[in-house]
Amino acid sequence: MTLRPLGMDPALCLIGGAWTPPESRDTLELRNPSDGSTLCAIARGRAVDIDRAVEAAGAAIRGAWGRLPNFERGRILHRIGQAVLENVEALAELEALDVGKPLKQARADVLALARYMEFYAGAADKIHGATIPYLDGYTVYTLREPHGVTGHIIPWNYPMQIIGRSVGAALAMGNACVLKPAEEACLTALAFARIAQEAGLPDGALNVVPGLGSEAGAALAAHPGVHHISFTGSVGVGKLIQMAAAEHVVPVTLELGGKSPQLVFEDADVEAALPFLTNAGIQNAGQTCSASSRILVHRSRYDEVLAGMADRYGALRAGPAMADLDVGPLVSDRQREIVEGFIAKGADLEIAARGVVVADAPAGGAYVSPTLFTGAAPEHSLAQEEVFGPVQVVIPFDTEEEAISIANGTAYGLVASVWSADGARQMRLARKLRAGQVFLNNYGAGGGVELPFGGTGLSGHGREKGFEALYGFSTLKTVAALHG
């Protein structure tokens, strides 16, 4: 396939509707994680390019984009969603090449991107204010207004999905966006920008500047012309972004990952649970913020669950993205080394099962065998730290109180799941678990475009997806009229 779908050139930035090289003309090498080969060169944007992009976004707010009525914004987003659907296979192949995920997972991401555009297209003219009863002689009401220029710094693991849930929501509210995609995987971000442009998105409403996080990303987070920052990524970088934005008192939405548990009780339907228990840990090679890396099981069902998961792990095959197997490569050699380091930390544990890297996987690919551990205490590093790889630990518990304590016993709080037939227990745990999302007898709810997503603790703050994202990408104004 071509790496320039719809005429997109990966060595260019999109600024103010024009595809231009960065001022330095410098590029970065983008590598294929499936075999280590060079995919292409991408633009290495820097602070001067971010300046141009922020200026273009501000001009769009003051110009044609800012004057559009809400329903017209919705129509544009709808056209973008339709154009995404018309290019499913090209975008899926591009994402698979770039990130390393199997084609079937990349294809699901394209469909999710289209669904985000459809959802926010329909929501664009449905964000209402409220009237507030007040003193005699007053009429008081509220307005939801866009922040203005919003900055979006997205990671390499789910470029299309995160564009959908952040850029889609920001555009629906009437903001103009500056997007800094991850340097490891930015091709679908550029392709999406081209699609949006051809679907009629006005110049400057979406600007894309690829580059290093330490250069373009840092410049965007600290820019005085940006009025809101959305970041998904590591805890360390999230802290730096929040500090940079604080210099200008700019609000920040942070989604920083997790150590999400699934709790399997003695009355659980284990056969129904097993696909969720395993898949939620190995999807996208475990490189998922909401990955379920801890499986907590009542001791009476522990052997059964462990055996069922071990059978599934033993059947897992890892290989090139285009082979469309269970697990693809990790995004880079650096990420592979990090995950291998975590697996080494489990030397004192028992490996219950491992998947295999297929024999014909290219030698230059960033492959790790999916690994299932047992015997970890709740305090073990593999039960506390985010691995961001296809690694899960299974931990027993004896009582509901112990299960809650273990589940809440990390610094994260993103997602949790409860497997039980007891409705009262489901309601108790939904309240007691420290997580932004709690799923009962399921996990992930099919992506949940409509469902608010975000966490507590080191998982970050603010919410994406659904209407809550629209509220986050707007500011509330109160109007009080004294008329006697």
Side-chain angles (χ1 to χ4, degrees):
M1 66 165 296
T2 177
L3 291 181
R4 299 186 178 190
L6 301 176
M8 176 273 293
D9 185 339
L12 302 179
C13 307
L14 176 62
I15 299 176
W19 290 90
T20 61
E23 185 166 297
S24 67
R25 300 299 198 271
D26 288 345
T27 60
L28 298 166
E29 188 178 78
L30 192 66
R31 299 185 70 79
N32 182 343
S34 289
D35 61 15
S37 65
T38 299
L39 276 175
C40 62
I42 62 169
R44 182 176 181 172
R46 290 187 170 90
V48 63
D49 306 298
I50 293 293
D51 285 342
R52 293 166 51 216
V54 171
E55 182 180 349
I61 292 289
R62 298 186 296 273
W65 177 244
R67 291 193 295 268
L68 277 182
N70 296 10
F71 71 88
E72 288 290 359
R73 291 201 302 270
R75 286 173 174 168
I76 292 172
L77 292 179
H78 179 74
R79 290 200 298 271
I80 295 172
Q82 290 303 299
V84 168
L85 289 176
E86 291 165 6
N87 289 276
V88 169
E89 291 308 315
L91 288 169
E93 288 184 26
L94 201 60
E95 189 88 326
L97 281 172
D98 205 6
V99 180
K101 62 183 63 179
L103 265 173
K104 54 180 168 284
Q105 294 179 18
R107 194 174 292 114
D109 289 357
V110 183
L111 298 177
L113 171 59
R115 180 71 189 104
Y116 278 114
M117 293 299 111
E118 293 166 349
F119 179 85
Y120 288 119
D125 60 352
K126 297 173 182 66
I127 301 299
H128 304 153
T131 57
I132 302 173
Y134 191 52
L135 301 175
D136 185 45
Y138 281 86
T139 294
V140 180
Y141 60 94
T142 60
L143 300 171
R144 281 276 174 192
E145 299 181 337
H147 289 292
V149 177
T150 55
H152 303 257
I153 302 173
I154 67 169
W156 44 259
N157 58 339
Y158 286 93
M160 287 188 290
Q161 289 218 35
I162 296 173
I163 287 170
R165 77 191 196 198
S166 64
V167 170
L171 291 174
M173 278 306 309
N175 300 282
C177 305
V178 178
L179 171 63
K180 207 299 284 186
E183 57 267 29
E184 296 92 343
C186 66
L187 295 181
T188 50
L190 293 164
F192 171 79
R194 187 63 157 174
I195 287 171
Q197 188 179 36
E198 296 199 348
L201 187 66
D203 293 348
L206 173 60
N207 307 273
V208 184
V209 181
L212 297 174
S214 58
E215 296 174 347
L220 182 57
H223 202 288
V226 173
H227 308 111
H228 182 281
I229 294 286
S230 175
F231 172 76
T232 301
S234 71
V235 173
V237 175
K239 290 178 180 179
L240 293 174
I241 286 173
Q242 186 159 267
M243 287 189 287
E247 182 68 23
H248 303 291
V249 198
V250 170
V252 179
T253 298
L254 297 177
E255 200 275 278
L256 305 178
K259 194 67 181 172
S260 299
Q262 295 195 61
L263 284 64
V264 184
F265 285 88
E266 66 275 14
D267 59 346
D269 183 340
V270 169
E271 285 304 309
L274 280 171
F276 291 89
L277 300 178
T278 304
N279 294 344
I282 56 93
Q283 182 180 350
N284 196 28
Q287 299 168 125
T288 304
C289 301
S290 56
S292 174
S293 54
R294 293 184 296 155
I295 308 299
L296 314 185
V297 186
H298 190 273
R299 200 173 298 275
S300 66
R301 308 296 295 276
Y302 186 81
D303 290 343
E304 178 186 0
V305 170
L306 185 62
M309 291 189 68
D311 286 345
R312 288 177 173 272
Y313 260 79
L316 291 175
R317 296 181 302 154
M322 292 305 174
D324 208 15
L325 303 176
D326 305 298
V327 178
L330 299 177
V331 75
S332 65
D333 286 337
R334 177 176 178 272
Q335 185 64 21
R336 175 183 54 77
E337 290 168 1
I338 290 171
V339 173
E340 287 176 343
F342 273 107
I343 292 174
K345 291 181 180 180
D348 59 330
L349 305 178
E350 178 186 346
I351 293 178
R354 299 195 79 174
V356 299
V357 177
V358 294
D360 59 351
Y367 299 103
V368 168
S369 297
T371 306
L372 180 69
F373 283 100
T374 184
E379 300 78 24
H380 195 283
S381 59
L382 286 182
Q384 289 288 319
E385 301 175 38
E386 186 176 41
V387 176
F388 228 59
V391 177
Q392 289 180 290
V393 294
V394 188
I395 301 171
F397 65 83
D398 291 298
T399 65
E400 182 177 307
E401 291 71 23
E402 184 186 10
I404 295 169
S405 176
I406 296 172
N408 291 343
T410 75
Y412 296 96
L414 190 57
V415 179
S417 174
V418 176
W419 294 89
S420 173
D422 185 334
R425 172 184 283 150
Q426 293 170 10
M427 295 300 103
R428 283 195 302 274
L429 268 70
R431 290 180 176 273
K432 292 182 179 181
L433 288 172
R434 185 170 176 263
Q437 288 186 329
V438 177
F439 294 101
L440 305 176
N441 293 325
N442 71 106
Y443 193 95
V449 166
E450 304 87 349
L451 310 182
F453 178 71
T456 62
L458 291 189
S459 290
H461 52 74
R463 292 296 179 264
E464 298 179 298
K465 302 188 180 184
F467 272 79
E468 287 296 328
L470 296 168
Y471 303 146
F473 281 111
S474 65
T475 184
L476 190 67
K477 177 184 287 182
T478 303
V479 180
L482 173 61
H483 44 68

PDB file of all heavy atoms in Angstrom, residues 330-360:
ATOM      1  N   LEU A 330       5.548  -5.209  19.775  1.00  0.00           N
ATOM      2  CA  LEU A 330       5.493  -3.954  20.501  1.00  0.00           C
ATOM      3  C   LEU A 330       5.912  -2.839  19.551  1.00  0.00           C
ATOM      4  O   LEU A 330       6.470  -3.080  18.480  1.00  0.00           O
ATOM      5  CB  LEU A 330       6.397  -4.009  21.728  1.00  0.00           C
ATOM      6  CG  LEU A 330       6.011  -5.108  22.739  1.00  0.00           C
ATOM      7  CD1 LEU A 330       7.013  -5.137  23.896  1.00  0.00           C
ATOM      8  CD2 LEU A 330       4.611  -4.923  23.269  1.00  0.00           C
ATOM      9  N   VAL A 331       5.649  -1.605  19.941  1.00  0.00           N
ATOM     10  CA  VAL A 331       5.793  -0.502  18.986  1.00  0.00           C
ATOM     11  C   VAL A 331       7.246  -0.220  18.619  1.00  0.00           C
ATOM     12  O   VAL A 331       7.523   0.322  17.549  1.00  0.00           O
ATOM     13  CB  VAL A 331       5.113   0.766  19.534  1.00  0.00           C
ATOM     14  CG1 VAL A 331       5.960   1.398  20.646  1.00  0.00           C
ATOM     15  CG2 VAL A 331       4.839   1.775  18.427  1.00  0.00           C
ATOM     16  N   SER A 332       8.193  -0.604  19.479  1.00  0.00           N
ATOM     17  CA  SER A 332       9.595  -0.273  19.233  1.00  0.00           C
ATOM     18  C   SER A 332      10.495  -1.211  20.022  1.00  0.00           C
ATOM     19  O   SER A 332      10.054  -1.894  20.956  1.00  0.00           O
ATOM     20  CB  SER A 332       9.883   1.176  19.660  1.00  0.00           C
ATOM     21  OG  SER A 332       9.722   1.316  21.069  1.00  0.00           O
ATOM     22  N   ASP A 333      11.773  -1.219  19.667  1.00  0.00           N
ATOM     23  CA  ASP A 333      12.749  -2.003  20.439  1.00  0.00           C
ATOM     24  C   ASP A 333      12.844  -1.492  21.872  1.00  0.00           C
ATOM     25  O   ASP A 333      13.022  -2.275  22.805  1.00  0.00           O
ATOM     26  CB  ASP A 333      14.121  -1.929  19.766  1.00  0.00           C
ATOM     27  CG  ASP A 333      14.198  -2.777  18.506  1.00  0.00           C
ATOM     28  OD1 ASP A 333      13.398  -3.725  18.382  1.00  0.00           O
ATOM     29  OD2 ASP A 333      15.048  -2.487  17.642  1.00  0.00           O
ATOM     30  N   ARG A 334      12.721  -0.196  22.030  1.00  0.00           N
ATOM     31  CA  ARG A 334      12.780   0.370  23.392  1.00  0.00           C
ATOM     32  C   ARG A 334      11.635  -0.164  24.238  1.00  0.00           C
ATOM     33  O   ARG A 334      11.841  -0.553  25.403  1.00  0.00           O
ATOM     34  CB  ARG A 334      12.734   1.891  23.320  1.00  0.00           C
ATOM     35  CG  ARG A 334      12.708   2.578  24.679  1.00  0.00           C
ATOM     36  CD  ARG A 334      12.754   4.094  24.530  1.00  0.00           C
ATOM     37  NE  ARG A 334      12.673   4.760  25.823  1.00  0.00           N
ATOM     38  CZ  ARG A 334      11.537   5.089  26.416  1.00  0.00           C
ATOM     39  NH1 ARG A 334      10.373   4.809  25.821  1.00  0.00           N
ATOM     40  NH2 ARG A 334      11.541   5.690  27.580  1.00  0.00           N
ATOM     41  N   GLN A 335      10.429  -0.207  23.685  1.00  0.00           N
ATOM     42  CA  GLN A 335       9.296  -0.726  24.445  1.00  0.00           C
ATOM     43  C   GLN A 335       9.472  -2.214  24.712  1.00  0.00           C
ATOM     44  O   GLN A 335       9.131  -2.709  25.798  1.00  0.00           O
ATOM     45  CB  GLN A 335       7.991  -0.467  23.684  1.00  0.00           C
ATOM     46  CG  GLN A 335       6.730  -0.853  24.434  1.00  0.00           C
ATOM     47  CD  GLN A 335       6.522  -0.049  25.699  1.00  0.00           C
ATOM     48  OE1 GLN A 335       7.071   1.046  25.850  1.00  0.00           O
ATOM     49  NE2 GLN A 335       5.740  -0.586  26.623  1.00  0.00           N
ATOM     50  N   ARG A 336      10.014  -2.943  23.768  1.00  0.00           N
ATOM     51  CA  ARG A 336      10.286  -4.370  23.980  1.00  0.00           C
ATOM     52  C   ARG A 336      11.252  -4.566  25.143  1.00  0.00           C
ATOM     53  O   ARG A 336      11.044  -5.444  25.996  1.00  0.00           O
ATOM     54  CB  ARG A 336      10.856  -4.994  22.705  1.00  0.00           C
ATOM     55  CG  ARG A 336      11.276  -6.459  22.878  1.00  0.00           C
ATOM     56  CD  ARG A 336      11.903  -7.013  21.601  1.00  0.00           C
ATOM     57  NE  ARG A 336      13.002  -6.195  21.114  1.00  0.00           N
ATOM     58  CZ  ARG A 336      14.231  -6.182  21.624  1.00  0.00           C
ATOM     59  NH1 ARG A 336      14.512  -6.961  22.665  1.00  0.00           N
ATOM     60  NH2 ARG A 336      15.163  -5.403  21.111  1.00  0.00           N
ATOM     61  N   GLU A 337      12.294  -3.758  25.209  1.00  0.00           N
ATOM     62  CA  GLU A 337      13.264  -3.874  26.297  1.00  0.00           C
ATOM     63  C   GLU A 337      12.616  -3.571  27.640  1.00  0.00           C
ATOM     64  O   GLU A 337      12.919  -4.224  28.652  1.00  0.00           O
ATOM     65  CB  GLU A 337      14.431  -2.923  26.036  1.00  0.00           C
ATOM     66  CG  GLU A 337      15.312  -3.348  24.857  1.00  0.00           C
ATOM     67  CD  GLU A 337      16.272  -2.255  24.427  1.00  0.00           C
ATOM     68  OE1 GLU A 337      16.266  -1.176  25.068  1.00  0.00           O
ATOM     69  OE2 GLU A 337      17.016  -2.466  23.447  1.00  0.00           O
ATOM     70  N   ILE A 338      11.713  -2.595  27.670  1.00  0.00           N
ATOM     71  CA  ILE A 338      11.013  -2.262  28.922  1.00  0.00           C
ATOM     72  C   ILE A 338      10.179  -3.452  29.386  1.00  0.00           C
ATOM     73  O   ILE A 338      10.209  -3.848  30.559  1.00  0.00           O
ATOM     74  CB  ILE A 338      10.137  -1.012  28.727  1.00  0.00           C
ATOM     75  CG1 ILE A 338      11.009   0.233  28.553  1.00  0.00           C
ATOM     76  CG2 ILE A 338       9.179  -0.830  29.912  1.00  0.00           C
ATOM     77  CD1 ILE A 338      10.253   1.470  28.140  1.00  0.00           C
ATOM     78  N   VAL A 339       9.430  -4.047  28.465  1.00  0.00           N
ATOM     79  CA  VAL A 339       8.561  -5.163  28.830  1.00  0.00           C
ATOM     80  C   VAL A 339       9.395  -6.378  29.222  1.00  0.00           C
ATOM     81  O   VAL A 339       9.071  -7.075  30.197  1.00  0.00           O
ATOM     82  CB  VAL A 339       7.602  -5.490  27.674  1.00  0.00           C
ATOM     83  CG1 VAL A 339       6.802  -6.757  27.977  1.00  0.00           C
ATOM     84  CG2 VAL A 339       6.661  -4.314  27.430  1.00  0.00           C
ATOM     85  N   GLU A 340      10.470  -6.644  28.515  1.00  0.00           N
ATOM     86  CA  GLU A 340      11.342  -7.755  28.899  1.00  0.00           C
ATOM     87  C   GLU A 340      11.924  -7.537  30.288  1.00  0.00           C
ATOM     88  O   GLU A 340      12.123  -8.493  31.050  1.00  0.00           O
ATOM     89  CB  GLU A 340      12.451  -7.922  27.872  1.00  0.00           C
ATOM     90  CG  GLU A 340      11.967  -8.530  26.547  1.00  0.00           C
ATOM     91  CD  GLU A 340      13.064  -8.606  25.506  1.00  0.00           C
ATOM     92  OE1 GLU A 340      14.091  -7.909  25.674  1.00  0.00           O
ATOM     93  OE2 GLU A 340      12.896  -9.355  24.520  1.00  0.00           O
ATOM     94  N   GLY A 341      12.188  -6.280  30.626  1.00  0.00           N
ATOM     95  CA  GLY A 341      12.672  -5.977  31.972  1.00  0.00           C
ATOM     96  C   GLY A 341      11.642  -6.308  33.031  1.00  0.00           C
ATOM     97  O   GLY A 341      11.983  -6.830  34.112  1.00  0.00           O
ATOM     98  N   PHE A 342      10.373  -6.042  32.749  1.00  0.00           N
ATOM     99  CA  PHE A 342       9.320  -6.404  33.697  1.00  0.00           C
ATOM    100  C   PHE A 342       9.199  -7.914  33.820  1.00  0.00           C
ATOM    101  O   PHE A 342       9.025  -8.445  34.929  1.00  0.00           O
ATOM    102  CB  PHE A 342       7.981  -5.803  33.239  1.00  0.00           C
ATOM    103  CG  PHE A 342       7.746  -4.409  33.733  1.00  0.00           C
ATOM    104  CD1 PHE A 342       7.823  -3.332  32.871  1.00  0.00           C
ATOM    105  CD2 PHE A 342       7.443  -4.168  35.063  1.00  0.00           C
ATOM    106  CE1 PHE A 342       7.599  -2.043  33.315  1.00  0.00           C
ATOM    107  CE2 PHE A 342       7.213  -2.882  35.527  1.00  0.00           C
ATOM    108  CZ  PHE A 342       7.299  -1.811  34.652  1.00  0.00           C
ATOM    109  N   ILE A 343       9.280  -8.617  32.706  1.00  0.00           N
ATOM    110  CA  ILE A 343       9.196 -10.074  32.766  1.00  0.00           C
ATOM    111  C   ILE A 343      10.338 -10.632  33.612  1.00  0.00           C
ATOM    112  O   ILE A 343      10.155 -11.578  34.397  1.00  0.00           O
ATOM    113  CB  ILE A 343       9.194 -10.664  31.342  1.00  0.00           C
ATOM    114  CG1 ILE A 343       7.898 -10.295  30.624  1.00  0.00           C
ATOM    115  CG2 ILE A 343       9.369 -12.185  31.383  1.00  0.00           C
ATOM    116  CD1 ILE A 343       7.846 -10.704  29.162  1.00  0.00           C
ATOM    117  N   ALA A 344      11.512 -10.025  33.506  1.00  0.00           N
ATOM    118  CA  ALA A 344      12.650 -10.454  34.320  1.00  0.00           C
ATOM    119  C   ALA A 344      12.377 -10.241  35.809  1.00  0.00           C
ATOM    120  O   ALA A 344      12.872 -11.010  36.653  1.00  0.00           O
ATOM    121  CB  ALA A 344      13.904  -9.705  33.891  1.00  0.00           C
ATOM    122  N   LYS A 345      11.581  -9.208  36.135  1.00  0.00           N
ATOM    123  CA  LYS A 345      11.230  -8.979  37.540  1.00  0.00           C
ATOM    124  C   LYS A 345      10.363 -10.104  38.095  1.00  0.00           C
ATOM    125  O   LYS A 345      10.218 -10.238  39.305  1.00  0.00           O
ATOM    126  CB  LYS A 345      10.485  -7.654  37.688  1.00  0.00           C
ATOM    127  CG  LYS A 345      11.339  -6.421  37.445  1.00  0.00           C
ATOM    128  CD  LYS A 345      10.513  -5.154  37.650  1.00  0.00           C
ATOM    129  CE  LYS A 345      11.328  -3.899  37.417  1.00  0.00           C
ATOM    130  NZ  LYS A 345      10.542  -2.658  37.624  1.00  0.00           N
ATOM    131  N   GLY A 346       9.788 -10.898  37.212  1.00  0.00           N
ATOM    132  CA  GLY A 346       8.956 -12.016  37.649  1.00  0.00           C
ATOM    133  C   GLY A 346       9.733 -13.314  37.798  1.00  0.00           C
ATOM    134  O   GLY A 346       9.123 -14.392  37.851  1.00  0.00           O
ATOM    135  N   ALA A 347      11.049 -13.233  37.870  1.00  0.00           N
ATOM    136  CA  ALA A 347      11.865 -14.448  37.992  1.00  0.00           C
ATOM    137  C   ALA A 347      11.536 -15.250  39.244  1.00  0.00           C
ATOM    138  O   ALA A 347      11.748 -16.468  39.286  1.00  0.00           O
ATOM    139  CB  ALA A 347      13.348 -14.073  37.977  1.00  0.00           C
ATOM    140  N   ASP A 348      11.018 -14.579  40.283  1.00  0.00           N
ATOM    141  CA  ASP A 348      10.668 -15.265  41.519  1.00  0.00           C
ATOM    142  C   ASP A 348       9.254 -15.831  41.485  1.00  0.00           C
ATOM    143  O   ASP A 348       8.798 -16.437  42.464  1.00  0.00           O
ATOM    144  CB  ASP A 348      10.809 -14.319  42.706  1.00  0.00           C
ATOM    145  CG  ASP A 348       9.934 -13.085  42.575  1.00  0.00           C
ATOM    146  OD1 ASP A 348       9.669 -12.645  41.437  1.00  0.00           O
ATOM    147  OD2 ASP A 348       9.505 -12.539  43.619  1.00  0.00           O
ATOM    148  N   LEU A 349       8.546 -15.648  40.370  1.00  0.00           N
ATOM    149  CA  LEU A 349       7.171 -16.123  40.245  1.00  0.00           C
ATOM    150  C   LEU A 349       7.124 -17.350  39.331  1.00  0.00           C
ATOM    151  O   LEU A 349       8.107 -17.708  38.686  1.00  0.00           O
ATOM    152  CB  LEU A 349       6.277 -15.022  39.664  1.00  0.00           C
ATOM    153  CG  LEU A 349       6.283 -13.677  40.393  1.00  0.00           C
ATOM    154  CD1 LEU A 349       5.378 -12.689  39.668  1.00  0.00           C
ATOM    155  CD2 LEU A 349       5.840 -13.847  41.844  1.00  0.00           C
ATOM    156  N   GLU A 350       5.964 -17.962  39.263  1.00  0.00           N
ATOM    157  CA  GLU A 350       5.759 -19.096  38.365  1.00  0.00           C
ATOM    158  C   GLU A 350       5.098 -18.602  37.086  1.00  0.00           C
ATOM    159  O   GLU A 350       4.121 -17.831  37.131  1.00  0.00           O
ATOM    160  CB  GLU A 350       4.866 -20.136  39.024  1.00  0.00           C
ATOM    161  CG  GLU A 350       4.557 -21.323  38.125  1.00  0.00           C
ATOM    162  CD  GLU A 350       3.549 -22.277  38.731  1.00  0.00           C
ATOM    163  OE1 GLU A 350       3.279 -22.167  39.942  1.00  0.00           O
ATOM    164  OE2 GLU A 350       3.026 -23.126  37.979  1.00  0.00           O
ATOM    165  N   ILE A 351       5.638 -18.994  35.950  1.00  0.00           N
ATOM    166  CA  ILE A 351       5.001 -18.703  34.676  1.00  0.00           C
ATOM    167  C   ILE A 351       3.980 -19.801  34.418  1.00  0.00           C
ATOM    168  O   ILE A 351       4.335 -20.969  34.231  1.00  0.00           O
ATOM    169  CB  ILE A 351       6.027 -18.633  33.528  1.00  0.00           C
ATOM    170  CG1 ILE A 351       6.954 -17.428  33.729  1.00  0.00           C
ATOM    171  CG2 ILE A 351       5.313 -18.538  32.185  1.00  0.00           C
ATOM    172  CD1 ILE A 351       8.042 -17.305  32.673  1.00  0.00           C
ATOM    173  N   ALA A 352       2.693 -19.409  34.414  1.00  0.00           N
ATOM    174  CA  ALA A 352       1.629 -20.389  34.216  1.00  0.00           C
ATOM    175  C   ALA A 352       1.526 -20.817  32.762  1.00  0.00           C
ATOM    176  O   ALA A 352       1.169 -21.968  32.468  1.00  0.00           O
ATOM    177  CB  ALA A 352       0.301 -19.816  34.692  1.00  0.00           C
ATOM    178  N   ALA A 353       1.806 -19.873  31.856  1.00  0.00           N
ATOM    179  CA  ALA A 353       1.734 -20.186  30.424  1.00  0.00           C
ATOM    180  C   ALA A 353       2.345 -19.041  29.637  1.00  0.00           C
ATOM    181  O   ALA A 353       2.405 -17.892  30.112  1.00  0.00           O
ATOM    182  CB  ALA A 353       0.284 -20.413  29.980  1.00  0.00           C
ATOM    183  N   ARG A 354       2.802 -19.357  28.423  1.00  0.00           N
ATOM    184  CA  ARG A 354       3.326 -18.334  27.511  1.00  0.00           C
ATOM    185  C   ARG A 354       2.804 -18.607  26.104  1.00  0.00           C
ATOM    186  O   ARG A 354       2.674 -19.756  25.680  1.00  0.00           O
ATOM    187  CB  ARG A 354       4.854 -18.324  27.479  1.00  0.00           C
ATOM    188  CG  ARG A 354       5.512 -18.025  28.808  1.00  0.00           C
ATOM    189  CD  ARG A 354       6.982 -17.668  28.631  1.00  0.00           C
ATOM    190  NE  ARG A 354       7.128 -16.278  28.188  1.00  0.00           N
ATOM    191  CZ  ARG A 354       8.304 -15.662  28.070  1.00  0.00           C
ATOM    192  NH1 ARG A 354       9.421 -16.315  28.322  1.00  0.00           N
ATOM    193  NH2 ARG A 354       8.356 -14.409  27.685  1.00  0.00           N
ATOM    194  N   GLY A 355       2.508 -17.544  25.391  1.00  0.00           N
ATOM    195  CA  GLY A 355       2.243 -17.670  23.976  1.00  0.00           C
ATOM    196  C   GLY A 355       3.560 -17.817  23.230  1.00  0.00           C
ATOM    197  O   GLY A 355       4.640 -17.801  23.825  1.00  0.00           O
ATOM    198  N   VAL A 356       3.481 -17.944  21.918  1.00  0.00           N
ATOM    199  CA  VAL A 356       4.688 -18.125  21.119  1.00  0.00           C
ATOM    200  C   VAL A 356       4.796 -17.032  20.072  1.00  0.00           C
ATOM    201  O   VAL A 356       3.804 -16.519  19.570  1.00  0.00           O
ATOM    202  CB  VAL A 356       4.708 -19.503  20.419  1.00  0.00           C
ATOM    203  CG1 VAL A 356       4.685 -20.618  21.443  1.00  0.00           C
ATOM    204  CG2 VAL A 356       3.539 -19.641  19.451  1.00  0.00           C
ATOM    205  N   VAL A 357       6.029 -16.665  19.769  1.00  0.00           N
ATOM    206  CA  VAL A 357       6.310 -15.832  18.606  1.00  0.00           C
ATOM    207  C   VAL A 357       6.497 -16.786  17.435  1.00  0.00           C
ATOM    208  O   VAL A 357       7.312 -17.713  17.512  1.00  0.00           O
ATOM    209  CB  VAL A 357       7.569 -14.974  18.818  1.00  0.00           C
ATOM    210  CG1 VAL A 357       7.885 -14.171  17.564  1.00  0.00           C
ATOM    211  CG2 VAL A 357       7.393 -14.053  20.022  1.00  0.00           C
ATOM    212  N   VAL A 358       5.732 -16.605  16.377  1.00  0.00           N
ATOM    213  CA  VAL A 358       5.770 -17.557  15.264  1.00  0.00           C
ATOM    214  C   VAL A 358       7.170 -17.616  14.660  1.00  0.00           C
ATOM    215  O   VAL A 358       7.922 -16.638  14.673  1.00  0.00           O
ATOM    216  CB  VAL A 358       4.732 -17.197  14.188  1.00  0.00           C
ATOM    217  CG1 VAL A 358       3.319 -17.347  14.737  1.00  0.00           C
ATOM    218  CG2 VAL A 358       4.945 -15.791  13.641  1.00  0.00           C
ATOM    219  N   ALA A 359       7.518 -18.784  14.140  1.00  0.00           N
ATOM    220  CA  ALA A 359       8.880 -19.037  13.667  1.00  0.00           C
ATOM    221  C   ALA A 359       9.292 -18.111  12.530  1.00  0.00           C
ATOM    222  O   ALA A 359      10.476 -17.781  12.401  1.00  0.00           O
ATOM    223  CB  ALA A 359       9.010 -20.497  13.229  1.00  0.00           C
ATOM    224  N   ASP A 360       8.342 -17.686  11.714  1.00  0.00           N
ATOM    225  CA  ASP A 360       8.706 -16.846  10.571  1.00  0.00           C
ATOM    226  C   ASP A 360       8.575 -15.349  10.856  1.00  0.00           C
ATOM    227  O   ASP A 360       8.613 -14.540   9.937  1.00  0.00           O
ATOM    228  CB  ASP A 360       7.872 -17.213   9.344  1.00  0.00           C
ATOM    229  CG  ASP A 360       6.372 -17.070   9.579  1.00  0.00           C
ATOM    230  OD1 ASP A 360       5.971 -16.859  10.742  1.00  0.00           O
ATOM    231  OD2 ASP A 360       5.605 -17.175   8.593  1.00  0.00           O
TER     232      ASP A 360
END
